[in-house]
Amino acid sequence: MDWSAYLSRQLSERRDSSLWRQRQVNQQSDGRFLYTTEGKYLNFSSNDYLGLSANPAVISAWQRGAEQYGVGSGGSGHITGYTNAHQQLEQQLADWLGYPKALLFISGYSANQGVIAALMTKADRIIADRLSHASLLEAAMHSSAQLRRFRHNQPASLADLLANPCVGKTLVVTEGVFSMDGDCAPLADIYQQTRVSGSWLMVDDAHGIGVCGEQGRGSCWQQKVKPEILVVTFGKAFGLSGAAVLCDEQTAEYLIQYARHLIYSTSMPPAQAQAISEAIRQIQSGDELRQRLQQNIDDFRRQVQKLPFNLTDSTTAIQPLIMSDNELSVSLSQYLQQKGIWVKAIRPPTVPPGSARLRITLTASHTQQDIDILTEALYEFCS
């Protein structure tokens, strides 16, 4: 079979399976609204939970950084791309989250891939929550380590797997707040299991950092857990992009020597590092924003109780409405868009078969009127 025939067949199968994806160009987003060539939409698909992407202080910090450093880093952090701005941000993160060291990565995906690829060998074992993010599971599958999955948020299932001996090291992997269901991992119980077995725990807290815990320190802080490896990302509550790995000094030095995703990637622009630093300050003093977000979450959940969709137990900004039918999820998304509301359908393989959904995300920027408009449209569609 030639290349063209292969690609044509694969694309045809995807198009016929109600799983076809399309990118759409938008002109601007401020956390609350999304602006496209077709109009202005209430945005309920953003991960900008605190609205910091449009925060004047964060924007100003980036502008000052660009004036000082230019718009790019110019190279890998191992060559010329590690500046005072990067070093100061790493120290700020370590101090804030209570770790000896922090290492900056260009993205959360890169951080997860880099850590697992560097640490795990053929003799080792990875035990992951079966609903962990694709970046974690893909890294585990591509590593030479053995991969086992425990039932979602079930420490007893993890304990059963840990009871089987392993020749090498064991790394337990989970998210703090799960990106598709919005539920929180029982981190205290999971951490206890890892301690008893002599394993290490790696937590990706992309959707918990900034919104959970004292000063927004995240899910682990909230549950009084300090995993050996904590991954935080800046593309959600921080309103920016990039990621960091928090760990002890020995592990940090090992990753500096062996993590290929760190060694061979151009580092984030120094101006971006300065903007992230300011976002941390906004998060630390952001109790009012977190309270507003929580009120929006409570109001939304109260209003949608009678909808004929499955609502998860999420108490976070991620509020999925789950339906079994892929086409129904797309139809509902399109209906909302006609009403001036932007919510995208999430379908397999991003989520398990039979669990297509609208992944509704709430932010501190939304008003009570915004939530009323969304819920009224949802009930209209179902009537």
Side-chain angles (χ1 to χ4, degrees), residues 82-104:
Y82 188 60
T83 67
N84 288 335
H86 296 98
Q87 183 183 51
Q88 290 167 9
L89 175 56
E90 287 181 344
Q91 189 61 55
Q92 183 183 13
L93 284 162
D95 292 343
W96 179 41
L97 299 175
Y99 279 82
K101 296 290 289 186
L103 296 176
L104 297 176

Side-chain angles (χ1 to χ4, degrees), residues 328-360:
L328 177 61
S329 68
V330 173
S331 296
L332 178 50
S333 174
Q334 293 172 341
Y335 177 83
L336 292 175
Q337 190 164 334
Q338 293 169 4
K339 295 286 186 177
I341 302 167
W342 195 275
V343 184
K344 286 302 174 181
I346 307 294
R347 294 157 289 164
T350 304
V351 293
S355 67
R357 67 196 63 194
L358 287 193
R359 182 183 179 272
I360 294 169

